[in-house]
Amino acid sequence: MTPAGPQCPVQAHGGEVLAFPIASGHSASPCSLLLPTEHFSGLRASGKMLVLLLLLPVCWAVEVKRPRGVSLTNHHFYDESKPFTCLDGSTIIPFDQVNDDYCDCKDGSDEPGTAACPNGSFHCTNTGYKPLYILSRWVNDGVCDCCDGTDEYNSGIVCENTCKEKGRKERETLQQMAEVTREGFRLKKILIEDWKKAREEKQQKLIELQAGKKSLEDQVEMLRTVKEEAEKPEKEAKDQHRKLWEEQQAASKAQREQELAANAFQELDDDMDGAVSVAELQTHPELDTDGDGALSEGEAQTLLGGDMQMDAATFHDRVWSAIRDKYQSEVLPTDLPVPSAPDLTELQEEQPPVPSLPTEEEEEEEEAEEEEEEEEEEDSQVQGEQSKETPPPLVPSQPASPTEEDKMPPYDEQTQAFIDAAQEARNKFEEAERSLRDMEESIRNLEQEISFDFGPSGEFAYLYSQCYELTTNEYIYRLCPFKLVSQKPKLGGSPTNLGTWGSWAGPEHDKFSAMKYEQGTGCWQGPNRSTTVRLLCGKETVVISTTEPSRCEYLMELMTPAACPEPPPEPPAEDHHDEL
């Protein structure tokens, strides 16, 4: 049968740790009570384990007769007065075959002190330090694996016994850890008291803000009413002002249109008989309606409403609006600059030599080319392209910026007074409304902070408004507890979000030992970045390490007094005793 029992740590080559079953229900060596320091990584050890280590400064050897390589816990399985039963119950052999350098048991338990069984284990007593198991194949291999050197009893290697020195260093380390734990826990109690006071103050402030919010809401509604009342006469006065200005603009525009129509009528009335006829209208081919480049008699008569001629009043009412966009004035604008006469000397210098007289054939070719050019010019005019000699349209192009006439004039004194009064009411209302929004935000922040889970006694509350940085060779890591984690290149650049606050992420029995930050910036073709922050006991609050164990998943360690457990009571002094 296989004996059940706890797992004993076994130190292996290169620092690996193995485990082998040992029997339970029997008396154990005092040394077996010592535990490896790995259990105290980050000072997260429980108080019971710490006091156990401190109360056992050294192990004492218990002389019990047993085969080499057998622990005191298992010595009762090796009774030389009767046959040996393999610990897995598979075989029974004569006792003289134990440690005979031949492997008889499948589990290797018959060769605890030799290297015969590859799966066997050798027990190092290590008096003064921690006992441990090593693999049997390391026995007498020329390497000192046990600090007491008992594994190299027949290899010719002399191993120095370093157990006492290791035990001394171990106790010093544990004492330092205990001191850090005691001081950290003292600071933790201060943090808890500070949060209790701060929480009470925040609750009182919240009550005051909630009471003030009602008063401010009433004030905002009152100022809203005042604002709306002040905006009514303002709107009426501004609307009246704009209406008058728009009427003036319309009258001015109508007058300009009247003038333009009158000027066009005078230009079209060639015979000055007070009427524009079909023939006079045909002198303006740009008014063509069918796109053939010429204004036919029928087209002209249609523009005149079916009449053969039209007087000025009817022309303005019925014709001008239809032709104003196409009509081109016959008069050059007076504001165009008059070209100066060129210098005769320059003309003479630029004038090319006089060519010889052309022949009759050349003259015919030139006439044909000129006719083609004239046709092209007519086509271009039909398409709306004007040559340099074509007079500009009668309607002047609109300027890029509005003229003074197009700008609305300043408000009169009474209207401006209404505007000033309304603006003052708006300013007061907006200021009160802004104060109300700020108060509501403060209330939300206080409610969130008061209800936040800052640990069993609120010991982590002091981290809420703080940020901590760690600078490495390449990056600056920034942790803002309960908010976010970021990473920024050391030589400059924008930060990368490594996760925002998610939840406490420690194991069920120690939930507040780790934080989880999630939904950070997405990795290229990968998941969103996330960070786990492991909280370690320390006298100061500082980020001590940041790693990326797997792609886009970061691990950060934060040392803080808030993570320190309650230390065990200090052992009584030697001269202390209790009276019965």
Side-chain angles (χ1 to χ4, degrees), residues 317-366:
D317 296 336
R318 295 167 55 186
V319 177
W320 174 242
S321 60
I323 69 172
R324 71 181 303 279
D325 293 334
K326 291 183 178 181
Y327 182 79
Q328 295 175 356
S329 175
E330 299 173 355
V331 181
L332 287 172
T334 56
D335 57 348
L336 290 178
V338 179
S340 58
D343 192 352
L344 293 178
T345 57
E346 293 180 359
L347 289 176
Q348 290 175 357
E349 291 176 358
E350 295 176 1
Q351 184 176 1
V354 179
S356 59
L357 295 176
T359 61
E360 293 181 0
E361 295 179 356
E362 291 176 347
E363 288 179 353
E364 292 177 358
E365 291 177 359
E366 289 179 0

